[in-house]
Amino acid sequence: MTIVNFGSINVDLVYALERMPQPGETLSARSFEQFLGGKGVNQSVAIAASGGEVRHIGAVGPDGDWALGRVAALGVATDGVARVATATGHAIIFVDAHAENMIVIHGGANQALNEAQIDAALAAAPSHAWVLLQNETNLTVEIVAKAKQAGLRVAYSPAPFDEARALAVIDQVDLMAVNQYEAEALRAARPDLSGTALLITHGAKGAEFIAQDGQRQFQAAFAVDPVDTTGAGDTFLGAFLAHYSQAPDQLSLALRYAAAAAALQVQKPGAAVAIPSKSEVEAFLAQQARAG
Ligand code: RIB
């Protein structure tokens, strides 16, 4: 099943720290590394790594060669990525000794999607395709409206969370993917979320799928020792959607595969580059089954 992903592409500047800095404090990093990231591209890499077919639609700046090279090297075609005059988006990421992170993003080229690029991508999408999007690009409300007008199904991850943008489209999207905090914020703004399927990730506890009719299915997380949780939610969503879009009746398989993919991803540093291949996930699941 084709998934057309309108998503961010970031250069992640990652600083490993003993602990997070306090306001006004200067800390020395233990190490520094540059990785490919961006919620959008992380999800595209996870879809491709899980055996799904993804078309990534986004934008990079004149400085975008490094990021585009990494995207292609990770198995995602770059022909849907525009070159614009604004610098490529980036993220400053602190990762502490407990593998927790703090992230500040600068949108840059991710905020330069235009309607012609969106229209062309949707016109080229097969009628059975899913559209995926997050909140790191501009024109999210427009993308949802155009995708629904074209009769496509839409999965939306409203991160970084923006209540107004999420509420503007909640009745149109087919799947809303949120973390536990975003789910709470949505429920505070609108107590009745029935009518939209929800995929809620609960970090190290696991994830839950709530269907449109309210039926719930829970998937526990696999217990692992994380080194960097950056991009774990993106990995979960991409891996889940690759399976769910193909076989919506095999929900528990999709959830279990996604939990395994995220469990492997957090054991390596970096976001997109840490996403495991399908064979790695299947080997992990077989090992878990043997362990009983
Ligand atoms: O979800 C993780 C991602 O958030 C990072 O890769 C960073 O680029 C930010 O977009």
Side-chain angles (χ1 to χ4, degrees), residues 10 12 37-39 42 91 93 103 105 136 230-231 234 271:
N10 285 342
D12 284 358
K39 295 183 194 308
N42 295 340
I93 303 183
I103 303 179
I105 57 169
E136 287 187 348
T230 310
D234 302 329

Side-chain angles (χ1 to χ4, degrees), residues 79-102:
D79 52 316
V81 180
R83 284 278 190 169
V84 298
T86 318
T88 302
H90 74 267
I92 305 282
I93 303 183
F94 295 158
V95 180
D96 73 11
H98 303 290
E100 292 300 336
N101 63 54
M102 290 176 82

Side-chain angles (χ1 to χ4, degrees), residues 33-206:
E33 252 183 293
Q34 178 172 310
F35 293 107
L36 175 69
K39 295 183 194 308
V41 96
N42 295 340
Q43 290 168 22
S44 282
V45 170
I47 293 165
S50 306
E53 191 202 320
V54 63
R55 293 183 191 166
H56 191 91
I57 312 299
V60 295
D63 56 347
D65 286 350
W66 179 86
L68 281 186
R70 299 310 305 145
V71 174
L74 292 171
V76 175
T78 57
D79 52 316
V81 180
R83 284 278 190 169
V84 298
T86 318
T88 302
H90 74 267
I92 305 282
I93 303 183
F94 295 158
V95 180
D96 73 11
H98 303 290
E100 292 300 336
N101 63 54
M102 290 176 82
I103 303 179
V104 174
I105 57 169
H106 178 71
N110 296 316
Q111 296 296 318
L113 299 197
N114 63 54
E115 303 231 6
Q117 186 184 13
I118 295 163
D119 291 341
L122 292 175
S127 59
H128 59 263
W130 276 77
V131 163
L132 172 62
L133 70 161
Q134 314 77 29
N135 268 352
E136 287 187 348
T137 64
N138 59 327
L139 297 177
T140 51
V141 173
E142 290 80 358
I143 292 168
V144 173
K146 285 172 186 279
K148 292 314 293 180
Q149 222 166 26
L152 304 175
R153 281 159 300 176
V154 176
Y156 175 41
S157 158
F161 191 67
D162 176 333
E163 187 181 302
R165 278 162 94 180
L167 291 176
V169 299
I170 191 165
D171 292 322
Q172 298 167 66
V173 303
D174 299 271
L175 176 68
M176 186 78 111
V178 286
N179 65 28
Q180 57 203 314
Y181 308 108
E182 293 159 354
E184 276 167 27
L186 272 182
R187 285 200 179 105
R190 201 172 114 164
D192 182 8
L193 296 176
S194 60
T196 304
L198 294 175
L199 177 67
I200 307 176
T201 47
H202 292 268
K205 288 193 193 126

